[in-house]
Each structure stands twice: as structure tokens, then as C-alpha cells.
Amino acid sequence: YVIYTSGSTGRPKGVVTPYRGLTNMQLNHQEEVFAPAVAAAGGRRLRIAHTVSFAFDMSWEELLWLVEGHEVHVCDEELRRDAEALVAYCDRHRIDVVNVTPTYAQLLVEEGLLDRDEDGDEDRDGDHDEAAGKHRHRPALVLLGGEAVSDTVWNRLRDTDGCYGYNLYGPTEYTINTLGGSTADSATPTVGRPIRNTRAHVLDPMLRPVPPGCPGELYIAGTGLARGYHDRPGLTAERFVADPFGRPGERMYRTGDLVRQRPDGLLDFLGRTDDQVKVRGYRVELGEITTALSSHPGVAHAAVVVNTDTGTKRLVGYYVPEEDAPDPQALRAHLKAALPDYMVPAALVAVDTLPLTVNGKLDVRALPAPDPARAGGTGRAPRTPREETLRDL
């Protein structure tokens, strides 16, 4: 079958995917995902909320539960994009498994997805006490995928009784899932280990394996590897390269993701190779700046992007404040204490929420343009006629 990527970086690409990749993923999930979740629920049939657009390959993950004989609740567009309504639905219908992006998982957690009235008993119908605002049920498993998992989401899932998280990493070019890791496997966010019949190589620019603990680019090969891009032979040749570690004629996919292998074999996601940008002559990692911005106690969510509206590259940080909103200057001081000067965003913009695409990922194009007068900068009024002239320019 052919499924198109989102095209967020340009022209959408049609990925030609073999059916054997889906079969391989299902056989892997039977052992690594389905069986543990069923065992945790006492062996009964589970209820899964289908919360992913059918235009997103992650939607297959929920459909495989249906193939295994479980009950899948297909949520319509309005419901799945309303975090408050979706949490109420999961509570009312006693949903056992939710599969979302980490960004959306954070919104669901804030709306009470993992809350439960410990003093009350869940009745046979799983009724929700709306008058008291009490939740009687929480999902046993939250599947994550599509983007990097924050420490906040991982820690909350790890520390919540009766619930765990499982991160499924994988590009469209490798039949949805390539790696997997649980909050039971690691105290910190991880993309885990390769699924069955899958090989993961962490290589340097010369395609040489890097030692454990050192960052390198992730290359993947195995049963789930796509055939290439539909009618894009040049791009296919660029991304699907010869596998020097496989049999003659085998290929591997260059993901563009930076990872690091731990001594125990788990892989940590470090960012994208194309997230490394040069600003003022310095090479910076956007993910590192986002982490520093998110670490402020007054920030609920954050994202950092490169803005070129002024004709030059500059960093812009967007953040959703907590109820006790941080002072912009205090927030800037927090960043300066954690980052070199060249990595501190030129503008900090408070927003009510970070816009999401239909697939639940950050919609960079929908972020508002920074207002120089209100972006948390350190500017001052001009003091001389010459400075006024420079300002007007």
C-alpha cells in the first residue's frame, strides 16, 4: 500500500509499504504490547480508544487491537481533538488503552486522564460522578508515538499506579513501528529496542558504528522496511542506502534521527539532524533549548523554532504558562542560567495553547509571529537621534 507523509517539510512523499511489515508488527505487538496489557487487566477483552486520524499510519496500531478481538471505540474528529471531552469519554466507557502523541498526552493528563477517586469503587458500568468531578477509571496503558516524549509525560506515566506508558518509535518508511520501550523498562524517556526482525544501527557520517554512550544517526533495516518513495527514485536512493551489515542487496533507511545507545541496549532519542541549525555562526539543537524552557516551573508546554521573517535566522521560544505565569524577564534569566547566550531565544512568546496538526503533532506553521514589542526581549527605548534612526530602519 502507499501512504503519504504529512509533507510538513515540503512536498508530500508517497511511501510504498509492504504488507509483511504490518504482519511483522502485529506479531511483535502480540508479545510485547497486547499480552502484557491483557495480563494486567486480568485476561479480559480490552477497550481501546481510536484517537488517531486515518491519514496517519499510527491509526493501524489501534486497528490491530481489533484484529486481536478487542473492542475499539472509533472517536470522531470533534471528540478526538477535544481533550476535555475525550477524557470524559474514556472515563465513561472505561477505556483501557489510549494511543496518542506525547504532546496530546500532556493535554489529556492535564484534563485528568490519569486521575482517579481512590476512595470510591468503580461500579460495573464505570459511571462518572460528574457532579463531584470524580474519575472512577484510568487507562491501564497509554501508547505514545509520533514525536519525542518529554520528561513530564514519561515521569507521570511511570509514577501512576495501575498505568504504564509504552513508547513506539518509527518512521513511515519502516511500517509504523521500529523500536519500543516501556516506562517499566526505563526511568527516563527511551525509544527502546528494535521490534522483531528489525535491526538498528547507530552510525557516524562514515557509516561506522559508534560506541555505546556516543551519539550517532539511526539507520534501520529489516522486514518492515518500505520499498521506497512512489515515483521518487532520486529521493529513494538518497534515503534508502545499501546495508553494509546485511546480506548482499539489502538496504537500510537513513532516519535523520540522532540517538545514543545505553549500556543496557536501550536507545535514547536526542533529536533530529535537521534540528541542528546555525544561528549567528553557532550550531544549536532546538530540542535542548525546548527542554530548558520547559524546565521552568511556570511553563506547561514549550516549543522553539527558527524564525526567518526578518531575513536572518533567530530563535523564537513559544510557551504555554501555568496558572502562575512566569515573568518574561525571569524566564529569560532562567534560560541564561542554563544555556549559552547564543542559545537563548531572541523572542519569548506566551500562547494559550500550542497548535497541533490533525495528527496531533506541533503545527509550526500555525504559531503566531512574534511581536517585537511583547516578545519578552531585553530591548530599551532609543536614547539618541541616531538610535531613533536605527530603530526606524
Side-chain angles (χ1 to χ4, degrees):
Y1 64 92
V2 177
I3 185 167
Y4 281 80
T5 62
S6 63
S8 58
T9 58
R11 174 184 169 191
K13 304 179 293 290
V15 181
V16 183
T17 310
Y19 285 116
R20 66 175 179 270
L22 278 176
T23 302
N24 184 68
M25 189 177 79
Q26 181 179 2
L27 294 174
N28 178 83
H29 286 13
Q30 285 176 346
E31 181 177 348
E32 300 295 335
V33 180
F34 303 152
V38 171
R44 63 174 173 82
R45 186 176 69 173
L46 302 182
R47 292 171 289 273
I48 293 86
H50 193 298
T51 60
V52 179
S53 165
F54 285 105
F56 194 11
D57 59 0
M58 267 180 64
S59 63
W60 272 108
E61 295 170 4
E62 287 118 322
L63 295 178
L64 291 182
W65 290 91
L66 185 64
V67 174
E68 292 294 315
H70 297 284
E71 179 181 311
V72 175
H73 294 231
V74 180
C75 304
D76 62 26
E77 180 80 6
E78 182 178 0
L79 174 59
R80 66 184 181 82
R81 301 194 72 165
D82 185 334
E84 182 179 6
L86 182 57
V87 167
Y89 182 93
C90 291
D91 187 31
R92 186 166 60 253
H93 293 276
R94 296 186 298 166
I95 296 298
D96 300 300
V97 181
V98 176
N99 185 18
V100 290
T101 63
T103 298
Y104 200 47
Q106 176 67 34
L107 296 179
L108 295 178
V109 169
E110 291 175 358
E111 292 295 340
L113 179 70
L114 302 182
D115 297 342
R116 184 167 63 188
D117 174 27
E118 300 297 345
D119 296 328
D121 295 327
E122 182 177 339
D123 64 24
R124 197 171 284 181
D125 296 324
D127 291 336
H128 171 67
D129 187 351
E130 296 183 358
K134 296 177 180 179
H135 293 272
R136 303 281 182 89
H137 181 83
R138 73 162 60 109
L141 170 61
V142 177
L143 293 169
L144 304 167
E147 59 187 8
V149 184
S150 68
D151 289 335
T152 301
V153 170
W154 191 269
N155 293 345
R156 181 62 194 278
L157 290 170
R158 181 197 64 201
D159 298 337
T160 300
D161 292 334
C163 177
Y164 68 100
Y166 198 97
N167 187 20
L168 289 165
Y169 163 94
T172 303
E173 291 82 354
Y174 196 89
T175 320
I176 312 166
N177 293 152
T178 308
L179 312 171
S182 166
T183 52
D185 301 328
S186 172
T188 56
T190 180
V191 289
R193 297 182 176 88
I195 68 171
R196 71 192 305 270
N197 295 325
T198 299
R199 303 185 301 277
H201 307 294
V202 185
L203 309 178
D204 67 11
M206 301 297 291
L207 299 185
R208 297 173 300 193
V210 301
C214 295
E217 185 172 354
L218 177 64
Y219 289 75
I220 51 180
T223 301
L225 189 67
R227 295 177 183 174
Y229 300 113
H230 181 59
D231 284 341
R232 304 283 294 275
L235 186 59
T236 297
E238 177 186 339
R239 305 303 298 184
F240 293 83
V241 300
D243 183 0
F245 312 101
R247 295 190 300 269
E250 288 190 323
R251 299 180 303 162
M252 59 183 183
Y253 174 68
R254 180 181 182 182
T255 66
D257 289 334
L258 293 174
V259 298
R260 178 176 54 220
Q261 187 176 36
R262 302 182 190 175
D264 60 6
L266 292 174
L267 293 173
D268 291 335
F269 178 80
L270 303 179
R272 291 281 303 167
T273 56
D274 49 19
D275 275 348
Q276 291 184 331
V277 296
K278 270 197 171 183
V279 178
R280 291 157 45 196
Y282 294 97
R283 188 170 295 279
V284 300
E285 293 256 5
L286 298 181
E288 186 176 351
I289 306 172
T290 301
T291 299
L293 185 55
S294 301
S295 67
H296 191 284
V299 174
H301 313 285
V304 177
V305 301
V306 176
N307 183 281
T308 57
D309 290 347
T310 60
T312 59
K313 291 182 179 179
R314 63 173 183 155
L315 299 172
V316 178
Y318 294 88
Y319 65 97
V320 178
E322 297 280 10
E323 291 185 6
D324 186 13
D327 176 75
Q329 298 306 324
L331 186 56
R332 183 169 294 278
H334 168 79
L335 292 175
K336 286 185 174 181
L339 300 169
D341 285 343
Y342 64 85
M343 293 179 68
V344 176
L348 295 173
V349 182
V351 293
D352 293 332
T353 184
L354 293 177
L356 303 179
T357 67
V358 67
N359 293 338
K361 298 182 180 181
L362 176 69
D363 189 350
V364 174
R365 297 177 182 177
L367 290 169
D371 180 357
R374 302 179 59 189
T378 57
R380 58 172 174 78
R383 295 171 179 167
T384 66
R386 179 173 294 180
E387 288 184 353
E388 290 179 355
T389 301
L390 288 172
R391 178 201 61 189
D392 294 339
L393 290 174

